[in-house]
Amino acid sequence: MHPELSVVIPVYNEEAGLAKLYARLYPALDKLAERGITYEIVFVNDGSRDRSAEILAEQFRARPDVTRVVLFNGNYGQHMAILAGFQATRGDIVVTLDADLQNPPEEIGALVDKMREGYDYVGSIRRKRQDAAWRTYLSKAMNRLREKITRIKITDQGNMLRAYGRNVINLINQCSEVNTFVPALAYTFARKPTEIVVEHEERTAGESKYSFYSLIRLNFDLMTGFSIMPLQLFSMMGMILSGLSGGLVVLLLIRRFFLGAEAEGLFTLFAIAFFLMGVILFGIGLLGEYVGRIYQQVQGRPRFVVQTILEEKSRE
Ligand code: UDP
Ligand code: MG
């Protein structure tokens, strides 16, 4: 017996807001259950140093039929918590949600409805973002850059209210990478992704766990986790630079024979120096190509996914 819907919620130092979360989450899901959508909620405590773990345990005792709690022994970060939650899920549809009520639980129904239309990944776009202005601006800029570097199309990357199909979750559970960004990883495995618009609210209690620094880290993970383009950039630069400076050497040589040396050979020296720099850059880029291959191999993601094989049952 497994539920149709699993809801995964990472929790880190959220003691002030958990009661409010329960008060909205359970009624919202019970309403779905009336429509015949059975559910389970998987909380993952990411090594909170406050009373969050006890509050989660209390909730487990109150609603053991639909509540499961995974407890970490330390703080491994939001995305590791979500991955651990995924491994514990049994539902056909898995929805992730933040614990701070910035994602209204009432929207889960809309995600499920969209999934039932046959999609296996439903992202969400916040109608009106309730975050500091610098964060909104920064994440829009990073979105654009990321879409160029990787092939991942996520309109609103800083938003965790998303639904994933069982096929996507099973593939994610096979991955063993350490620094990852769950929505992007899921996107790479989705056959039929889509997005819907949802509400977004201010944090009800506690404060954001993301500093400016961890946001930068997150974006690096996103770029380098899904593309080795930053490494390959060097070989491109090196190739262009050595090409141009090679041209310069030839030009100076010709000039030298007709007009004599330029500023006592200073420019010739420049040309040689630039050429060498180009060669070095190209060398770094070449190394990057190999390191990139090693990196992709080490990630150990499934190399391809076979949807079905059409064949006749063998007759014996
Ligand atoms: N979170 C976590 N581990 C961490 C940081 C955050 O499990 O190391 C959880 C946190 O409890 C919340 C969600 O991840 O449920 C999003 O965190 P937060 O609201 O602080 O991020 P923001 O909304 O500011 O991006
Ligand atoms: Mg938040």
Side-chain angles (χ1 to χ4, degrees), residues 290-310:
Y290 285 109
V291 173
R293 271 157 208 268
I294 296 171
Y295 177 53
Q296 285 174 336
Q297 203 76 40
V298 166
Q299 277 176 330
R301 287 186 199 157
R303 279 173 305 166
F304 46 77
V305 183
V306 178
Q307 188 177 342
T308 41
I309 298 176
L310 298 178

Side-chain angles (χ1 to χ4, degrees), residues 41-268:
I41 305 174
V42 180
F43 291 101
V44 184
N45 175 43
D46 186 17
S48 301
R49 278 168 307 217
D50 61 2
R51 289 193 56 251
S52 297
E54 292 151 56
I55 302 173
L56 290 174
E58 270 165 34
Q59 184 61 21
F60 171 68
R61 284 190 289 274
R63 293 293 300 273
D65 52 327
V66 290
T67 310
R68 301 161 75 199
V69 182
V70 177
L71 298 169
F72 275 2
N73 66 349
N75 180 236
Y76 296 96
Q78 180 186 0
H79 291 269
M80 289 303 117
I82 292 174
L83 290 182
F86 281 174
Q87 289 186 346
T89 58
R90 296 170 297 192
D92 299 323
I93 299 172
V94 175
V95 170
T96 54
L97 197 72
D98 281 353
D100 57 2
L101 278 179
Q102 285 196 284
N103 312 129
E106 294 76 20
E107 300 276 12
I108 295 174
L111 287 174
V112 172
D113 288 340
K114 201 74 193 168
M115 288 293 281
R116 283 183 156 187
E117 283 173 28
Y119 296 97
D120 60 355
Y121 172 105
V122 181
S124 68
I125 305 164
R126 290 168 283 192
R127 194 186 306 281
K128 192 168 175 298
R129 226 181 132 155
Q130 300 287 347
D131 273 320
W134 66 269
R135 279 194 62 169
T136 312
Y137 178 77
L138 199 75
S139 84
K140 276 205 181 123
M142 290 316 288
N143 258 349
R144 276 197 297 275
L145 183 62
R146 192 219 52 242
E147 264 183 36
K148 291 221 175 69
I149 295 185
T150 65
R151 241 170 292 153
I152 296 163
K153 287 201 177 49
I154 297 176
T155 314
D156 190 359
Q157 69 177 40
N159 181 13
M160 277 301 147
L161 183 60
R162 289 164 201 280
Y164 310 104
R166 178 44 55 188
N167 57 322
V168 173
I169 296 293
N170 285 344
L171 287 167
I172 291 179
N173 286 345
Q174 281 179 41
C175 297
S176 55
E177 50 202 86
V178 182
N179 298 302
T180 197
F181 187 75
V182 172
L185 187 61
Y187 186 91
T188 59
F189 293 137
R191 280 200 298 265
K192 205 174 167 215
T194 187
E195 292 181 321
I196 62 171
V197 175
V198 296
E199 295 299 333
H200 190 236
E201 295 170 12
E202 273 178 69
R203 215 174 210 291
T204 48
E207 53 195 30
S208 172
K209 312 299 183 285
Y210 281 95
S211 60
F212 185 62
Y213 171 76
S214 42
L215 281 177
I216 292 179
R217 278 284 357 134
L218 193 75
N219 279 294
F220 264 113
D221 284 348
L222 199 50
M223 307 278 179
T224 55
F226 295 93
S227 160
I228 53 172
M229 212 259 246
L231 278 176
Q232 294 171 328
L233 216 62
F234 281 99
S235 38
M236 277 296 144
M237 261 160 48
M239 225 139 66
I240 293 169
L241 193 59
S242 45
L244 285 181
S245 47
L248 191 60
V249 170
V250 172
L251 199 78
L252 285 177
L253 247 141
I254 296 170
R255 260 190 75 107
R256 194 180 189 112
F257 284 120
F258 289 99
L259 302 170
E262 195 79 48
E264 294 182 340
L266 188 64
F267 282 89
T268 319

